[in-house]
């Protein structure tokens, strides 16, 4: 595997150098990854990236060529290079299970180790979580807007080539049915699917030659792209060539609502009542919702999904909340304007009512909050003494997402701008000392 | 190197299968990568990703495990797997040099080969260009807003971990001075730099211990973060510990304009007249411009840079414009509503006036447009018979960007929303048959 160790900001390593100099590098420390708020107007966020981070952790080793590079550039001194050469994360990580909903202040990760070993993971952890949570959070809204109709992830071409692979994974966790991305198919065992492009039709002498080639080669259950020239003529041709068993037709332009009605009526007249209509033009959760009453069977989503539907980064931060002084962990918090941090190690429960509907995110500071029997524990042990304890696959995360969604109040799934659907309550020595809403 | 072959949409391979079936797979074809329009309100775009694509092309080989995966999943048939096993791009690519400005309709890449060998590059080429051009286009505006003050790229934690590396590269091409990303430093020989984080200060017993450790270990020319507690006290402490040779202080919160004035006055009073002020809180091109009159020395830019400052994807497409029929290349263009394509292979020149200021993007269809001596040719040969012909490094691209910017009319650099700064003129049989503006 490729080393992930240099996917790291320069200052993480120079801070290690200065902390090795002062001796504080070895202080036991707790860092937390969380969001001070949700992206503007969002009612919940979705945790994704956990599995990817845990896999990247195994490859977080400074290789010889990387050490050489750091030495040559004079990034850090010899003592620090020595530390990096031997670097292995040997600490503990607790975190929200992948797929879970989160809210302002939710401690998505609690990383405990020496300062030096925990601080160098900051950049990589944030890169993975800020990307994957942004995509999963947008994807979850789209899946709900689609109301049971399958969503197809097809945004690879609209984002960095490796972001695309992670986006396919995050979308699948949030309930997308398939992806177009073949690397995601191989790497994460996600189902892949596709139709065809205008270029395929244009390549041939005419639409008939193109459709015939596709149907003969890929079978009658293929999906034909019918908007290269004239939609009604293409639909007629498609059913003539493939018969009424034609799998689907794709619309990628124009007024999708009106066209879906026209094409459905035409397909039904031709007897192709089982042929699906796939729509794919610049969809986001709002466009999907606007098609709810149209006879559409599947939604293909590209740009909007891979760019987080207006929020391409989840706004998560990684902050020191506690560190050892004289053998005791002592809380810390900075006081910068608008960027304050709640010090102290966090514990988290989701308060559920008698019908298992979420009422609040309860965050204990320094100790596990006392809840009632129905409260659901949110943090699970992910890493102990450097060893990964959990399954990093997508299926368990997809199941967790579905379960988590079923416990949110129905207003969580309104698409309009709103507040976080449940409040976050910090429980300190005194109960419910602070309530943080967006 | 990791194979890039599966960074590809499922349908690219099924189209190859169907085209192998019809025989059209071997037709000579020309695909072009271009934008129908610039992102809303932008006056120019910046080409980036060229070097990355050319390097990824060398790794675009279907490895045994990938072929096995495609076979196991039944993505394509045995004939197609055979084609993929032997796949090498053997065609030609012309393109705009990396760093160049572009406009609506500019043919950033012209890819010529068989349909099958050119179509399978679509997803990878678009992923790289849509990401890297988006970042470079935003970065270029920030660099101009900074008016000669260095810009520091520090957005790694706000985007996918490998996007971060590409973003650092794109920003450097567009004129950023340094990046925080160590991988980009090693992989692309970009200068890296950093300051320190609040966690470093909080780790220590007090600010004085933290500052002392940093100054002793990293030298007096280090940059100290002064807003963890109280800014004036931290500035005083910083100069007391490092002396008037202190390299810099960083402000990461609060009202940056007011604070910069206060801190500059304090530093000057303390004799630290050479100490730089670095500001870093949620900057974009507009915030940078708003700080033009403030005594700020360097801008650190994160989220806004790596998310393309509101436009995280450049909106570029890859379209078939011509293909062989009976041994002759014949133009093609689809007629979908709002998504029409101008058929025919393109040639491009930038029309310059007597003072070398750009007047128009002149695109010839099917043949090189006849210009005057001052017109500048835009397309250069990048690949011939599968062999890369050009330098893929960042320094030549950075130089090209600087040169290209110097030829744009000054209104190109206004930050307000505007039209593309020069019109795109398509030249067909008759001269100037069409003028495309956004």
């Amino acid at each position: 595997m490729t080393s992930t160790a240099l996917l790291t900001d320069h200052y993480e390593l120079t801070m290690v150098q200065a902390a090795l100099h002062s001796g504080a590098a070895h202080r036991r420390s707790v860092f937390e990854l969380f969001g001070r708020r949700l992206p503007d107007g969002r009612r919940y966020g979705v945790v994704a990236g956990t599995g990817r981070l845990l896999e990247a952790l195994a490859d977080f080793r400074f290789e010889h060529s990387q050490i050489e590079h750091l030495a040559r550039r004079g990034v850090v001194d010899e003592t620090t290079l020595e530390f990096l050469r031997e670097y292995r994360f040997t600490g503990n990580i607790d975190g929200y299970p992948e797929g879970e909903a989160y809210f302002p202040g939710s401690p998505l990760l609690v990383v405990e180790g020496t300062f030096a070993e925990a601080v160098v993971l900051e950049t990589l952890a944030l890169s993975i979580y800020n990307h994957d949570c942004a995509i999963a959070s947008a994807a979850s809204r789209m899946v709900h807007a689609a109301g049971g109709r399958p969503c197809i992830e097809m945004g690879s071409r609209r984002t960095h080539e490796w972001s695309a692979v992670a986006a396919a994974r995050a979308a699948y966790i949030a309930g997308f049915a398939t992806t177009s991305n073949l690397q995601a198919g191989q790497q994460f065992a996600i189902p892949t699917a596709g139709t065809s492009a205008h270029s395929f039709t244009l390549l041939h002498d005419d639409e008939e030659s193109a459709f015939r080639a596709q149907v003969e080669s890929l079978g009658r259950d293929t999906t034909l792209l019918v908007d290269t020239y004239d939609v009604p003529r293409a639909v007629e041709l498609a059913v003539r060539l493939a018969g009424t068993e034609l799998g689907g037709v794709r619309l990628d332009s124009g007024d999708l609502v009106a066209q879906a009605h026209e094409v459905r009526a035409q397909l039904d007249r031709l007897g192709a009542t089982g042929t699906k209509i796939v729509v794919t033009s610049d969809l986001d959760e709002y466009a999907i919702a606007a098609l709810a009453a149209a006879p559409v069977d599947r939604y293909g989503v590209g740009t909007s999904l891979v760019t987080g539907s207006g929020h391409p980064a989840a706004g998560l931060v990684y902050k020191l909340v506690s560190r050892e002084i004289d053998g005791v962990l002592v809380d810390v918090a900075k006081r910068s304007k608008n960027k304050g941090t709640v010090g102290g190690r966090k514990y988290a429960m989701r308060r559920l009512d008698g019908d298992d509907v979420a009422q609040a995110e309860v965050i204990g500071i320094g100790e596990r909050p006392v809840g009632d029997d129905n409260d659901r524990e949110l943090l699970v042990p992910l890493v102990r003494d450097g060893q990964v304890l959990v399954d990093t696959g997508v299926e368990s995360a997809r199941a967790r997402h579905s379960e988590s969604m079923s416990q949110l109040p129905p207003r969580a799934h309104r698409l309009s701008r709103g507040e976080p659907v449940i409040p976050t309550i910090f429980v300190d020595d005194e109960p419910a000392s602070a309530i943080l809403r967006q």
Side-chain angles (χ1 to χ4, degrees), chain A:
Chain A
M1 279 302 292
T2 306
S3 166
T4 56
L6 290 193
L7 299 169
T8 298
D9 286 328
H10 184 110
Y11 81 175
E12 312 288 5
L13 303 194
T14 54
M15 284 193 285
V16 168
Q17 174 178 322
L20 285 169
H21 175 84
S22 71
H26 307 295
R27 288 185 171 181
R28 199 93 196 141
S29 297
V30 181
F31 282 85
E32 288 176 355
L33 190 151
F34 61 96
R36 294 194 180 93
R37 60 198 74 84
L38 296 178
D40 201 23
R42 290 285 178 83
R43 295 164 183 260
Y44 64 97
V46 177
V47 179
T50 318
R52 293 211 309 119
L53 175 64
L54 296 176
E55 289 174 8
L57 194 60
D59 301 316
F60 200 93
R61 305 271 188 273
F62 291 84
E63 294 174 349
H64 181 70
S65 68
Q66 296 175 322
I67 296 288
E68 289 291 293
H69 167 75
L70 297 173
R72 205 164 41 243
R73 285 289 189 96
V75 174
V76 286
D77 63 15
E78 184 49 45
T79 306
T80 309
L81 292 176
E82 198 50 49
F83 170 84
L84 297 177
R85 253 185 222 108
E86 301 301 320
Y87 180 85
R88 299 284 184 277
F89 181 73
T90 63
N92 301 329
I93 304 179
D94 286 6
Y96 277 40
E98 188 158 20
E100 185 59 79
Y102 73 86
F103 298 94
S106 299
L108 305 198
L109 291 176
V110 180
V111 179
E112 185 173 353
T114 66
F115 175 80
E117 71 178 346
V119 77
V120 298
L121 298 180
E122 174 174 26
T123 312
L124 181 63
L126 285 174
S127 291
I128 291 176
Y129 270 70
N130 270 319
H131 177 266
D132 291 14
C133 293
I135 307 305
S137 298
S140 178
R141 286 161 57 85
M142 293 169 185
V143 167
H144 280 85
R149 293 171 176 174
C151 291
I152 304 163
E153 190 285 303
M154 39 173 271
S156 294
R157 61 188 59 192
R158 305 292 179 211
T159 188
H160 182 278
E161 66 274 21
W162 289 101
S163 306
V165 182
R169 182 182 181 282
Y172 185 71
I173 288 169
F176 268 57
T178 57
T179 178
S180 65
N181 191 286
L182 291 170
Q183 180 73 29
Q186 182 179 29
Q187 198 170 328
F188 302 120
I190 298 170
T192 64
T195 61
S196 77
H198 295 105
S199 66
F200 181 78
T201 300
L202 295 170
L203 166 71
H204 289 85
D205 293 355
D206 50 40
E207 205 167 38
E208 179 162 350
S209 322
F211 282 8
R212 178 170 288 124
Q214 189 176 332
V215 170
E216 285 179 4
S217 176
L218 300 170
R220 289 169 191 277
D221 63 344
T222 194
T223 296
L224 294 167
L225 177 59
V226 293
D227 70 346
T228 306
Y229 304 109
D230 179 79
V231 173
R233 280 169 53 184
V235 170
E236 192 193 338
L237 178 63
V239 178
R240 178 153 59 79
L241 292 173
T244 53
E245 308 104 287
L246 175 64
V249 296
R250 176 160 80 105
L251 296 169
D252 184 47
S253 56
D255 176 347
L256 296 176
V257 173
Q259 278 198 95
H261 281 287
E262 288 161 19
V263 168
R264 182 74 270 158
Q266 188 183 3
L267 286 169
D268 290 350
R269 274 199 309 277
L270 294 169
T273 53
T275 299
K276 307 291 189 200
I277 297 178
V278 185
V279 295
T280 57
S281 187
D282 283 335
L283 298 183
D284 60 13
E285 62 268 46
Y286 306 103
I288 290 171
L291 285 158
V296 166
D297 299 287
R298 282 170 204 162
Y299 301 102
V301 191
T303 309
S304 169
L305 176 80
V306 298
T307 58
S309 196
H311 299 290
L316 303 168
V317 295
Y318 184 90
K319 296 293 171 189
L320 181 71
V321 295
S322 190
R323 90 298 192 209
E324 183 184 356
I325 293 193
D326 301 329
V328 181
L329 276 173
V330 179
D331 299 351
V332 295
K334 72 173 164 166
R335 283 157 223 159
S336 308
K337 285 174 195 154
N338 311 320
K339 287 193 177 180
T341 308
V342 180
R345 186 207 180 95
K346 312 300 182 306
Y347 297 80
M349 330 248 303
R350 189 149 301 153
R351 181 146 299 160
L352 304 175
D353 68 12
D355 297 322
D356 281 350
V357 176
Q359 301 296 302
E361 194 84 335
V362 183
I363 316 277
I365 301 174
E367 57 185 3
R368 200 171 165 286
V370 180
D372 61 42
D373 293 349
N374 212 27
D375 284 3
R376 186 154 68 80
E377 187 89 40
L378 289 163
L379 288 167
V380 298
L382 301 174
V383 174
R384 282 293 173 273
D385 302 327
Q387 300 304 309
V388 174
L389 303 181
V390 296
D391 170 24
T392 58
V394 291
E395 294 300 340
S396 56
R398 188 173 158 94
R400 161 57 35 214
H401 180 66
S402 174
E403 173 76 12
S404 178
M405 289 300 103
S406 73
Q407 293 184 333
L408 293 188
R411 68 182 183 286
H413 300 298
R414 292 186 196 155
L415 295 181
S416 57
R417 295 163 54 85
E419 296 287 308
V421 70
I422 56 173
T424 300
I425 302 175
F426 285 96
V427 183
D428 209 339
D429 300 331
E430 305 117 82
S433 65
I435 297 188
L436 177 67
R437 289 198 77 136
Q438 191 163 8

